[in-house]
């Protein structure tokens, strides 16, 4: 189809929205390794997970074979308030880069939480409510997940308790207030409220906190409070399942115009947006129906795929969560305190880890100053103020488009623009004032952390 026929924004109508989530695991020959019980090192059964997670979410978590899960009507109804999200052709960016490449991005920042996380928050809050629970606990780093969950809990009338990584709690007071506006209570982590928080504070007084540590606190609180369960905004397979709505919509929109991407790019923290965006495309690749290049983009300061080890590790710093076989930097890994771009989780979702180990997905790491350069270039061309996390994908998309400029290839590049950056102005300010530096961990630092991995078989 000619270039002129593709609109700037490809919107779907409500009745073109997917009515079921797609479970990529059903099409994987090499299934992701099972979660292990940290006490027995045996595969986790539903009963082991029941004190921590909601029952239906456990069923989704453990299901490697069912290809589709119907999206509950209540969730679909709320989805319609902010979905389908637009798929945008980056004509302005293409022009500025003077590239023959065609660039598309799926924009998930069109809701108050400002990111894709609301897609899974709604599903998780719905199942918690359906189970008759009083509330949920969670952790949040930069605050997008906590905000999304607060919105979902307000909608489904659930109590919401958020442990927010301390450095973010202090640097992003507005995020905190948004969450409280939706009725959540927000505690800086590590806190004195939990056993694990007190232990971590004793061992590392003055710590900035980490996601792994906030997870431990939220899990402890959930298991000790009757009527509560813990919910997680990334990393788990159930979250990738919910986020498949991103990829399904994207595929429907591209198919409408007969567009087939050559390269699909997503930023990778715990892996949920990337896993959701690529799901239907990767399914085609695994079934031998089509071929695509997939690129995961991670920060050079927290490079789990590109420099971590594929091994069983704890999902949290406090070592109370199950072990997952994933690319990891070690559960004690904390990115340097000057790291401003999010995506600071030490591990990676097990599905994406397996796909990367199998060689069907690539990964690159990028330095934060180059990420903010890309963010600024994108903002000036396309108008949207991107989240630093999303800007990792922008960086890689621009780099691929510039390669096309050199070779003259007209590749089609698709990337996930996961959210907006309005609450990240402290980081942008650092970049503008020239106070942002790039910290890349040394091989010794990484090896030191990996030496502490649990010994499993
Ligand atoms: C949380 C978040 C990410 C990273 O999480 P994934 O689970 O890896 O997708 C990326 N972008 C934004 C805007 C986020 O809020």
């Amino acid at each position: 189809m000619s270039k002129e026929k593709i609109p700037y924004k490809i919107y779907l109508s409500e009745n073109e929205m997917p009515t079921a989530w797609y479970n990529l695991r059903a099409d994987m020959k090499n299934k992701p390794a099972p979660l292990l019980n940290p006490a027995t090192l045996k595969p986790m059964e539903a009963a082991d997970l029941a004190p921590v997670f909601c029952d239906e979410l456990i069923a989704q978590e453990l299901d490697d074979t069912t290809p589709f899960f119907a999206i509950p009507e209540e969730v679909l109804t709320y989805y319609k308030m902010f979905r389908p999200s637009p798929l945008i052709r980056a004509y302005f960016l293409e022009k500025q880069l003077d590239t023959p490449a065609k660039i598309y991005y799926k924009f998930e920042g069109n809701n108050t939480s400002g990111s894709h996380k609301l897609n899974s928050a709604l599903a998780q809050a719905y199942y918690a409510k359906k189970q008759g629970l009083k509330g949920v606990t969670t952790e949040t780093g930069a605050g997008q997940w906590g905000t999304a969950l607060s919105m979902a809990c307000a909608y489904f009338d659930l109590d919401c308790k958020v442990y927010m990584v301390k450095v973010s709690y202090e640097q992003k007071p507005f995020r905190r207030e948004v969450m409280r506006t939706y009725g959540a209570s927000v505690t800086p982590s590590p806190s004195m409220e939990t056993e694990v928080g007190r232990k971590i504070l004793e061992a590392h007084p003055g710590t900035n906190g980490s996601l792994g540590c906030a997870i431990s606190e939220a899990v402890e609180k959930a298991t000790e409070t009757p009527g509560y369960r813990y919910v997680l905004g990334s990393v788990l397979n159930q979250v990738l399942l919910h986020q498949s709505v991103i990829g399904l919509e994207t595929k429907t929109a591209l198919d409408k115009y007969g567009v087939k991407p050559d390269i699909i790019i997503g930023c990778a923290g715990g892996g949920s947006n990337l896993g959701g965006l690529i799901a239907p495309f990767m399914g085609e690749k695994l079934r031998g129906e089509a071929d695509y290049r997939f690129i995961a983009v991670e920060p050079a300061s927290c490079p789990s795929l590109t420099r971590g080890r594929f091994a069983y590790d704890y999902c949290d710093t406090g070592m109370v969560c199950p072990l997952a076989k994933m690319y990891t930097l070690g559960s004690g890994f904390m990115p340097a305190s000057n790291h401003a771009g999010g995506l600071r989780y030490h591990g990676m979702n097990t599905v994406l880890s397996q796909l990367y180990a199998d060689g069907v997905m690539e990964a690159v790491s990028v330095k934060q100053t180059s990420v903010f350069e890309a963010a600024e270039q994108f903002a000036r061309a396309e108008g949207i103020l991107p989240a630093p996390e999303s800007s990792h994908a922008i960086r890689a998309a621009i780099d691929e488009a510039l390669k096309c400029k050199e070779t003259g290839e007209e590749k089609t590049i698709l990337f996930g623009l996961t959210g907006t950056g309005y609450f990240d102005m402290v980081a942008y300010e650092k970049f503008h004032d020239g106070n942002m530096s790039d910290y890349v961990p040394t091989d010794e630092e990484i090896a030191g952390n990996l030496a502490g991995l649990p010994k499993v078989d």
Side-chain angles (χ1 to χ4, degrees):
M1 216 171 250
S2 73
K3 185 169 172 164
E4 288 69 35
K5 288 200 176 144
I6 303 220
Y8 280 89
K9 283 187 189 163
I10 307 177
Y11 275 114
L12 299 177
S13 66
E14 272 179 24
N15 52 24
E16 289 171 298
M17 281 176 65
T19 54
W21 293 301
Y22 167 58
N23 182 13
L24 177 60
R25 285 168 285 166
D27 282 311
M28 290 172 73
K29 279 194 199 77
N30 294 336
K31 306 289 184 194
L35 297 173
L36 299 185
N37 186 317
T40 62
L41 299 185
K42 295 243 158 41
M44 283 297 233
E45 311 266 340
D48 300 323
L49 292 166
V52 182
F53 296 108
C54 305
D55 296 343
E56 289 218 35
L57 293 167
I58 295 171
Q60 294 178 351
E61 191 62 33
L62 299 179
D63 193 324
D64 285 348
T65 54
T66 306
F68 289 97
F69 286 83
I71 304 175
E73 197 53 45
E74 293 88 334
V75 176
L76 208 51
T77 303
Y78 197 121
Y79 273 1
K80 287 177 183 171
M81 292 210 273
F82 67 101
R83 309 202 67 83
S85 71
L87 179 70
I88 303 172
R89 173 77 183 267
Y91 284 120
F92 297 109
L93 182 64
E94 288 170 20
K95 194 165 168 210
Q96 199 187 80
L97 296 172
D98 190 23
T99 174
K102 303 178 177 78
I103 307 175
Y104 293 84
Y105 56 95
K106 178 72 164 166
F107 181 45
E108 291 292 317
N110 260 344
N111 67 77
T112 298
S113 78
S115 82
H116 64 289
K117 293 207 171 64
L118 191 55
N119 298 327
S120 185
L122 284 165
Q124 298 194 45
Y126 166 78
Y127 291 119
K129 187 69 184 178
K130 199 175 158 218
Q131 193 175 326
L133 298 175
K134 272 214 312 260
V136 291
T137 71
T138 198
E139 79 296 330
T140 197
Q144 289 97 324
W145 166 245
T147 308
L149 188 68
S150 309
M151 290 173 71
C153 285
Y155 182 66
F156 287 113
D157 190 24
L158 279 169
D159 187 26
C160 179
K161 179 143 189 66
V162 180
Y163 290 88
M164 186 170 188
V165 177
K166 195 169 132 211
V167 61
S168 306
Y169 183 90
E170 286 161 1
Q171 283 184 359
K172 300 188 172 186
F174 296 150
R175 267 279 180 219
R176 188 174 79 208
E177 291 317 314
V178 176
M179 287 185 256
R180 292 176 62 194
T181 300
Y182 286 96
S185 72
V186 188
T187 307
S189 165
S191 77
M192 296 298 283
E193 280 181 13
T194 63
E195 182 75 37
V196 60
R198 288 189 290 272
K199 259 193 209 153
I200 292 171
L201 279 175
E202 202 179 309
H204 308 276
T207 174
N208 280 324
S210 71
L211 266 185
C213 164
I215 293 173
S216 304
E217 288 209 277
V219 169
E220 182 183 320
K221 192 74 179 178
T223 48
E224 303 219 318
T225 318
Y228 282 70
R229 292 293 186 280
Y230 165 70
V231 294
L232 182 58
S234 182
V235 186
L236 294 175
N237 292 333
Q238 59 188 266
V239 186
L240 265 75
L241 175 72
H242 307 146
Q243 296 297 356
S244 68
V245 67
I246 304 173
L248 292 166
E249 279 183 14
T250 303
K251 188 145 193 326
T252 304
L254 288 176
D255 285 350
K256 249 173 116 161
Y257 288 90
V259 175
K260 189 181 163 294
D262 297 295
I263 309 174
I264 305 175
I265 298 171
C267 63
S272 73
N273 86 85
L274 175 67
L277 174 67
I278 70 174
F281 301 97
M282 182 61 87
E284 285 189 322
K285 177 162 171 148
L286 295 180
R287 296 190 303 269
E289 297 164 8
D291 198 16
Y292 305 96
R293 270 183 73 200
F294 301 98
I295 307 176
V297 192
E298 58 185 15
S301 57
C302 192
S304 47
L305 285 171
T306 51
R307 294 177 69 199
R309 187 181 299 162
F310 190 37
Y312 267 107
D313 192 13
Y314 293 97
C315 293
D316 65 325
T317 314
M319 305 181 193
V320 298
C321 288
L323 285 82
K325 188 170 180 197
M326 59 184 176
Y327 280 88
T328 180
L329 296 163
S331 64
F333 183 85
M334 295 203 191
S337 59
N338 77 354
H339 172 67
L343 311 177
R344 38 176 76 237
Y345 186 63
H346 67 271
M348 183 57 60
N349 164 264
T350 58
V351 166
L352 293 177
S353 290
Q354 188 62 52
L355 293 169
Y356 184 59
D358 289 345
V360 289
M361 182 182 83
E362 305 163 37
V364 294
S365 74
V366 290
K367 292 184 181 159
Q368 66 176 351
T369 50
S370 78
V371 167
F372 278 83
E373 276 162 23
E376 201 174 77
Q377 186 171 12
F378 179 83
R380 291 177 190 182
E382 293 288 316
I384 295 172
L385 177 71
E389 292 91 337
S390 323
S391 305
H392 288 72
I394 299 175
R395 175 75 270 160
I398 290 179
D399 289 345
E400 289 297 329
L402 291 175
K403 279 185 210 159
C404 290
K405 183 176 176 176
E406 270 172 33
T407 61
E409 286 172 289
E410 287 188 31
K411 287 189 181 157
T412 297
I413 300 168
L414 163 68
F415 73 91
L417 187 70
T418 50
T420 48
Y422 300 112
F423 291 104
D424 298 288
M425 287 299 120
V426 173
Y428 272 95
E429 180 186 35
K430 262 195 195 162
F431 173 69
H432 293 143
D433 290 345
N435 294 330
M436 180 173 281
S437 55
D438 290 315
Y439 183 79
V440 181
T442 62
D443 289 342
E444 288 71 30
E445 269 173 83
I446 289 182
N449 266 288
L450 291 176
L453 287 184
K455 307 274 177 284
V456 180
D457 50 53

